[in-house]
Amino acid sequence: MNHFQYKDGELFCEDIPVAVIAQEVGTPFYLYSKATLTRHFQAFDSGFADIDHITCFAVKSCSNIAVLSLFSGLGGGADIVSGGELFRALQAGMDPRRIIYSGVGKGEEELRYGLKSGILLFNVESEQELLRLQKVAADMGVTAPIAFRVNPDVDPKTHAYISTGLAKNKFGIPIDEALELYVQAAEMEHIKVMGVSCHIGSQLTLISPFVEALRKVKAFVGRLAEKGIAINYIDLGGGVGITYDDEEPPHPQEYAKAIIEELGGLKATLILEPGRVIVGNAGIMVTEVQYTKTNRGGDKEKNFVVVDAGMNDLTRPSLYGAYHSIQPVQEKTTASQLVDIVGPICETGDFLAQDRVFPQVEQGDLLAVMSAGAYGFTMASNYNSRPRAAEVMVSGERFAVIRERETIESLIKGEAIPEFLEKK
Ligand code: LLP
């Protein structure tokens, strides 16, 4: 259930017509519903209400500080993967004791920043990272709280680019080799072993891979106990999928129930890192039709709807062949035709939809690209020197721009023409 619904043929976000916002902020823009964000956060988090847990929102999925601040207010924490995401989380008022730091390539400066900020946990992904963290912590005269991210070699049955828990993926430490590292880390003066972490992939539509991964993690925690290493935190990562088209992912409560059951009475705080399941269907991208055209060749013809948002604004269709439902903001009764909905970028791979049955639209019509709240704006780029879109949040009858549209001047910020190129 989300708060993007038609009333009398017009798409609303909560109590405001989307067209009214477009009129004011221009297009393209991302639009988030506060009520939907809240509802989805609570639907997920409340599933774990009976056990010790922290819902650490995956900042990479939607990193605007207004969104982070909303989740912080709802008791959430943050799962970060860079110094930039840590900065955002702190700016949004997140409690550092609810921030965990994942990722295979943390730089020395980033580790220092995490330590200085007093975050809850570093999810360490290699022996070299462990050694670097020990050195940085020693330099600073502090102790680094860590979990190792173990790779359980479980098939999440999702898109190859977003599978992370298979042996062939770059993530984590093979679960069979991790024991040795735990023993090594437990003896390090500036490292405090606190947990075990894993993340097997994103957009999972089955519960069984999560349960299988947890079973392996649980067995591993047992082996650690035999070595006298106690674990306070079990981090199960993110990954619950959403409906873009006809997928039938588990309801978050169902997922929670299965996880709690598999945990049994294990005494540890559970950490979860959901992103997409909370924000995916709480955001849309709004774009305006610029042109319609038909290209003919031989006996073939192809219809195009050219809109003002491209693969630089929403890259998921181009990058993963991902499906996003697209709907006219004013409902149409015109005849349907087969179209590609494409952007202004100079690449054939620049499309939002291909071979889509779509009502006839015309220049100036607004289209809503649905399910764009996760990995939408955060993956946007300035390719083709296009300023990134605005972000807007709605609450009831009110809306606020939570990120201004970039300007063309901002595009060359930091660029310079060196002296040796200047004309004499
Ligand atoms: N934790 C870790 C360590 C992760 O790598 C990820 C996602 C998450 C949590 C959040 O997963 P979620 O709950 O959102 O599935 N750009 C891709 C998705 C990449 C996901 C990468 N890791 C897409 O647009 O589908």
Side-chain angles (χ1 to χ4, degrees):
M1 162 60 191
N2 61 56
H3 291 76
F4 297 98
Q5 306 292 341
Y6 285 93
K7 293 179 199 168
D8 297 328
E10 178 155 9
L11 185 65
F12 274 63
C13 176
E14 301 192 19
D15 302 324
I16 307 184
V18 169
V20 167
I21 303 172
Q23 184 75 34
E24 203 142 317
V25 304
T27 52
F29 65 96
Y30 277 87
L31 182 60
Y32 310 102
S33 149
K34 181 189 164 208
T36 313
L37 291 166
T38 304
R39 183 190 165 94
H40 289 183
F41 182 90
Q42 288 173 337
F44 186 92
D45 191 57
S46 64
F48 297 94
D50 290 342
I51 62 166
D52 242 356
H53 77 282
I54 312 177
T55 298
C56 291
F57 173 66
V59 172
K60 67 172 84 65
S61 62
C62 185
S63 60
N64 189 289
I65 58 171
V67 173
L68 302 182
S69 143
L70 172 66
F71 295 148
S72 167
L74 295 171
D79 160 48
I80 57 159
V81 291
S82 69
E85 288 190 351
L86 176 53
F87 179 68
R88 285 179 173 279
L90 295 173
Q91 288 292 308
M94 287 264 181
D95 177 358
R97 301 285 307 150
R98 298 176 87 75
I99 296 179
I100 56 166
Y101 195 163
S102 311
V104 287
K106 304 177 193 80
E108 207 171 299
E109 263 319 303
E110 293 181 307
L111 293 174
R112 190 166 293 124
Y113 185 24
L115 285 169
K116 198 178 85 192
S117 309
I119 65 168
L120 179 66
L121 216 51
F122 290 85
N123 284 336
V124 175
E125 302 215 18
S126 63
E127 181 180 7
Q128 288 184 12
E129 184 186 333
L130 174 70
L131 298 177
R132 179 179 273 182
L133 184 56
Q134 153 83 355
K135 183 175 164 297
V136 174
D139 283 351
M140 293 173 69
V142 298
T143 303
I146 68 147
F148 284 104
R149 174 167 172 181
V150 297
N151 184 325
D153 195 20
V154 168
D155 186 354
K157 304 207 165 48
T158 182
H159 192 287
Y161 286 10
I162 53 178
S163 295
T164 56
L166 281 166
K168 65 178 179 189
N169 301 140
K170 70 178 174 183
F171 297 98
I173 295 158
I175 199 159
D176 299 326
E177 295 167 24
L179 195 63
E180 235 172 90
L181 264 189
Y182 267 93
V183 172
Q184 184 184 337
E187 282 163 11
M188 288 178 153
E189 203 186 326
H190 293 276
I191 297 288
K192 181 155 175 51
V193 175
M194 306 281 288
V196 180
S197 139
C198 83
H199 171 84
I200 55 174
S202 192
Q203 183 55 13
L204 271 70
T205 50
L206 296 172
I207 293 185
S208 50
F210 291 114
V211 172
E212 190 185 339
L214 177 54
R215 195 165 298 153
K216 289 192 174 183
V217 166
K218 240 174 75 180
F220 183 69
V221 170
R223 290 170 66 200
L224 288 175
E226 284 164 18
K227 296 268 180 200
I229 299 173
I231 289 305
N232 309 73
Y233 295 99
I234 292 187
D235 177 353
L236 263 193
V240 182
I242 62 169
T243 302
Y244 285 97
D245 186 8
D246 53 6
E247 304 90 337
E248 291 179 354
H251 189 278
Q253 301 270 334
E254 234 182 287
Y255 161 80
K257 197 163 159 266
I259 296 303
I260 294 172
E261 221 168 270
E262 184 60 38
L263 263 181
L266 203 67
K267 286 272 162 290
T269 299
L270 184 66
I271 295 176
L272 300 138
E273 306 172 359
R276 189 188 321 257
V277 70
I278 293 177
V279 291
N281 279 322
I284 64 173
M285 183 182 70
V286 181
T287 179
E288 189 193 83
V289 175
Q290 302 299 299
Y291 308 103
T292 56
K293 61 190 255 182
T294 303
N295 284 358
R296 295 186 182 84
D299 58 351
K300 295 215 171 68
E301 62 173 44
K302 185 109 191 167
N303 301 311
F304 294 97
V305 175
V306 184
V307 297
D308 64 1
M311 65 191 282
N312 72 299
D313 298 296
L314 179 68
T315 192
R316 301 193 70 258
S318 304
L319 189 59
Y320 311 113
Y323 176 95
H324 283 262
S325 161
I326 301 182
Q327 299 174 10
V329 166
Q330 314 280 345
E331 258 175 342
K332 291 263 168 195
T333 49
T334 47
S336 287
Q337 55 176 3
L338 204 61
V339 298
D340 279 13
I341 300 174
V342 300
I345 300 275
C346 296
E347 295 225 22
T348 301
D350 175 32
F351 54 83
L352 299 176
Q354 284 181 306
D355 296 324
R356 191 70 61 89
V357 177
F358 207 67
Q360 252 168 22
V361 288
E362 55 189 65
Q363 195 171 58
D365 282 349
L366 293 171
L367 305 183
V369 183
M370 309 307 287
S371 312
Y375 307 105
F377 186 86
T378 53
M379 292 178 77
S381 78
N382 291 123
Y383 188 37
N384 278 203
S385 285
R386 288 168 47 81
R388 281 182 297 169
E391 289 179 289
V392 178
M393 189 186 284
V394 165
S395 174
E397 289 176 347
R398 289 185 298 171
F399 74 89
V401 174
I402 57 172
R403 189 178 208 274
E404 286 175 6
R405 182 181 310 288
E406 287 178 347
T407 61
I408 51 174
E409 289 76 19
S410 73
L411 293 177
I412 58 167
K413 183 167 181 281
E415 292 184 24
I417 301 173
E419 217 173 291
F420 54 75
L421 286 181
E422 277 168 18
K423 293 199 182 75
K424 291 265 153 47

